[in-house]
Amino acid sequence: MAERAGWEIADAYPVHLLPPITISCSHEHAAFPGTVSISARTLYAVIDDIRASLARSGIHKLVIVNGHGGNYVLSNVVQEANVDGPAVSLFPLGPDWDRAREYGGLESDRHADMHAGEIETSILLHAAPELVREGYGNADHGAARPFLLVHGTSNYTETGVIGFPSLASAGKGKAVLESLTEDFAVHLSALGEAIAPTRPTPPAVSRIPVIG
């Protein structure tokens, strides 16, 4: 998801797109074979080293596009990087996701649709449908998860799904990415970079939810 969002953003704005970091902090999914994680301190160090390298090259503004909720440490990276002035932003934030859900006409909410649900499946159906397994229409699984970080995802789902993939569609995924791309401009503005997209995007006031 984060990689595809990065492509969309780089296509719409005059920004440099770095290669994705494909392994991060997925420890809550460790009970599922094949899950690979790095520690929070390693992820922190990698991002901070990248930021420092860019600064040495004269690039002092960085937006981190995050596609995984378990990367909590990224908030601390941003918090500390901005002590001396705006330099780093984390994208998307909760409000960005909420607007994308509304614009895309999604039926589920951000809390209930946590993993492999309506929004993630919709994005894949649009961007990489070959990665979506058959049967997703019957894979819905809602679960309260008060101690997710204590017991892990496997304590609440046998398949890894927590959400509603049956509600997903390629049209919703396309609209979600369009909304996120538009909202990226706000993060650039927060960093003091008034950069308009290089291709037209509809103004926020005219957003019409897309379903289908």
Side-chain angles (χ1 to χ4, degrees):
M1 191 292 297
E3 184 176 15
R4 181 55 187 245
W7 293 350
E8 298 280 341
I9 290 166
D11 186 48
Y13 297 87
V15 296
H16 298 287
L17 179 64
L18 295 170
I21 299 170
T22 56
I23 299 177
S24 57
C25 304
S26 296
H27 305 86
E28 70 274 22
H29 303 301
F32 293 94
T35 300
V36 180
S37 294
I38 58 177
S39 70
R41 58 187 173 274
T42 299
L43 181 58
Y44 182 105
V46 168
I47 298 296
D48 198 49
D49 284 351
I50 290 171
R51 182 189 62 79
S53 294
L54 291 172
R56 284 192 291 271
S57 297
I59 301 172
H60 298 282
K61 303 295 175 67
L62 173 67
V63 180
I64 303 168
V65 180
N66 179 40
H68 174 53
N71 294 331
Y72 306 105
V73 71
L74 293 179
S75 294
N76 295 115
V77 173
V78 173
Q79 179 188 41
E80 296 177 20
N82 292 319
V83 169
D84 297 321
V88 181
S89 185
L90 182 60
F91 176 82
L93 298 177
D96 300 314
W97 283 120
D98 291 338
R99 282 188 291 271
R101 283 182 174 277
E102 180 181 2
Y103 182 57
L106 273 69
E107 300 176 48
S108 60
D109 62 61
R110 183 156 46 97
H111 176 74
D113 196 57
M114 170 196 158
H115 194 252
E118 182 182 14
I119 193 166
E120 292 185 340
T121 305
S122 291
I123 291 171
L124 283 177
L125 286 172
H126 165 64
E130 70 279 3
L131 298 180
V132 181
R133 293 181 180 180
E134 294 183 7
Y136 70 89
N138 299 311
D140 291 1
H141 181 75
R145 45 192 188 281
F147 293 100
L148 178 69
L149 299 184
V150 176
H151 300 297
T153 307
S154 63
N155 193 62
Y156 300 103
T157 172
E158 293 182 358
T159 64
V161 174
I162 298 180
F164 306 94
S166 70
L167 301 175
S169 74
K172 291 179 180 180
K174 181 176 185 292
V176 164
L177 288 172
E178 288 174 350
S179 178
L180 292 176
T181 301
E182 182 180 333
D183 277 352
F184 186 79
V186 179
H187 290 258
L188 292 177
S189 179
L191 294 175
E193 300 293 330
I195 301 176
T198 54
R199 60 175 170 80
T201 56
V205 294
S206 67
R207 290 186 181 183
I208 301 174
V210 176
I211 301 176

